[in-house]
Amino acid sequence: MRQLRGLDLLFTIMVYSFLLLAATMAIFPLFYVLSVSFSTEYEYLTRGFFVIPKQFTLDGYLYLLSHPGFISAFRNAVIISAVGTTLNIVLTSLMAYGLSKRWLKFRNSLNFMVFFTMMFSGGMIPTYLVVRFLHLLDSFWAIWLSTAIAPFNVIVMRSFFQSMPLELEESARMDGSGEWRLFWSIIVPLSIPVIATFTLFYLVTNWNTYFSAILYLNDAKLMPLQVFLRQMLVEDDPTISNATNVLYKYTPAVKMAAIILTALPLLVIFPFMQKHFNQGAMLGSIKG
């Protein structure tokens, strides 16, 4: 028994050591980026690698926040994320709720169509032709509608709705609740964990929108933050998303500040949704 306890203690120490090492490897690059964002260009070029800057400065952030292209890209990212996530979660929950009803006509065929689209997508060129035919190019609607519903999320949420007791629905109907009242007043409040989980998934996807933006948007004033960030870091183009003729110099501190400000909204939002995320991460995965 004493030997077994010793093995358990050793295993616990190994697990925590591994988790600590993994957390350090994940946090350290972000901490380095944060440190460089508060440093001067001279210190970055002369010291090479450092963890704590000797000369603390906010010039990188102030310089970046004065950039009209960054402000425009940040605003576009907020609009795309807020409206897109709202459309995503509303349409996904409504579709999943409808497919969870056994009395729905052609339910099996519709479920198969959802599953089929998860396995085989229409492809980039056909989707682009549809968007162009609908005259949605150079519009945020091209991004919102082309990614409105994720089939996998529908399937998981449908399984969650199916796991709810039928007695709950029958009791609500006996009290005179219609389909809409049943959904919004009873089903949605009971589904907060799973809705919050997929809201976070959709939010991250919309905030990180890149490929859809460069595919459907040609106007630089409509480009979201991820496009701006890539062109700043990879292409080092001083004219990106710039409504004026002013050329901007992107120092290492400015580039690192852009990374921090791009990641900051999700880092701030996640702790508030973590409780629901932990509760809803596995919901709907047991019953299919």
Side-chain angles (χ1 to χ4, degrees):
M1 181 66 68
R2 183 175 300 175
Q3 183 180 3
L4 183 60
R5 290 180 180 178
L7 292 176
D8 291 341
L9 179 60
L10 178 62
F11 178 77
T12 302
I13 294 175
M14 292 178 61
V15 169
Y16 278 99
S17 300
F18 176 77
L19 293 177
L20 181 61
L21 178 62
T24 303
M25 294 177 63
I27 294 175
F28 187 77
L30 182 61
F31 185 77
Y32 173 71
V33 170
L34 182 64
S35 299
V36 175
S37 69
F38 290 116
S39 67
T40 62
E41 184 177 9
Y42 175 79
E43 183 177 6
Y44 176 81
L45 296 176
T46 54
R47 292 187 63 187
F49 177 82
F50 56 89
V51 177
I52 300 177
K54 293 181 179 179
Q55 296 179 344
F56 185 87
T57 177
L58 295 173
D59 290 345
Y61 291 92
L62 297 177
Y63 188 86
L64 185 64
L65 293 175
S66 67
H67 193 312
F70 177 81
I71 300 300
S72 175
F74 195 93
R75 180 177 62 250
N76 293 337
V78 171
I79 295 173
I80 292 174
S81 301
V83 178
T85 303
T86 302
L87 288 174
N88 291 146
I89 201 65
V90 169
L91 295 178
T92 299
S93 58
L94 288 174
M95 186 174 185
Y97 178 72
L99 293 176
S100 68
K101 299 303 178 183
R102 301 187 182 278
W103 46 260
L104 182 68
K105 293 183 179 180
F106 310 110
R107 175 174 176 267
N108 292 333
S109 299
L110 293 174
N111 280 315
F112 174 77
M113 291 173 62
V114 173
F115 178 77
F116 185 85
T117 57
M118 184 176 67
M119 296 292 101
F120 306 97
S121 63
M124 179 182 67
I125 296 178
T127 304
Y128 177 84
L129 294 176
V130 171
V131 171
R132 189 180 69 173
F133 176 78
L134 296 175
H135 304 287
L136 295 177
L137 294 179
D138 278 333
S139 170
F140 290 151
W141 285 104
I143 299 176
W144 293 332
L145 295 181
S146 62
T147 58
I149 299 177
F152 175 79
N153 296 347
V154 171
I155 293 174
V156 176
M157 192 174 290
R158 180 207 63 189
S159 300
F160 174 78
F161 289 148
Q162 286 179 342
S163 65
M164 288 189 173
L166 292 176
E167 293 79 4
L168 183 66
E169 180 179 344
E170 294 174 354
S171 175
R173 294 189 184 281
M174 291 179 61
D175 292 336
S177 295
E179 205 66 53
W180 281 102
R181 183 176 179 83
L182 172 64
F183 177 74
W184 293 111
S185 301
I186 298 179
I187 301 299
V188 169
L190 294 175
S191 308
I192 292 299
V194 70
I195 290 177
T197 300
F198 289 114
T199 298
L200 184 61
F201 289 168
Y202 279 126
L203 179 62
V204 172
T205 300
N206 287 311
W207 184 258
N208 293 328
T209 295
Y210 172 78
F211 186 75
S212 297
I214 63 175
L215 186 63
Y216 302 128
L217 303 178
N218 298 315
D219 189 353
K221 297 179 181 179
L222 298 177
M223 290 300 177
L225 194 55
Q226 300 300 330
V227 178
F228 179 92
L229 185 63
R230 183 189 183 279
Q231 291 177 328
M232 172 188 286
L233 299 177
V234 178
E235 301 178 15
D236 199 15
D237 184 0
T239 63
I240 52 175
S241 303
N242 189 4
T244 67
N245 293 324
V246 180
L247 296 182
Y248 286 84
K249 181 182 178 182
Y250 302 128
T251 63
V254 173
K255 293 180 179 180
M256 299 306 177
I259 296 176
I260 295 297
L261 292 178
T262 301
L264 186 61
L266 295 182
L267 294 177
V268 171
I269 292 174
F270 182 78
F272 295 99
M273 302 184 67
Q274 184 177 6
K275 180 181 68 174
H276 298 298
F277 178 79
N278 293 336
Q279 294 176 358
M282 297 300 295
L283 290 178
S285 61
I286 299 177
K287 227 177 161 182

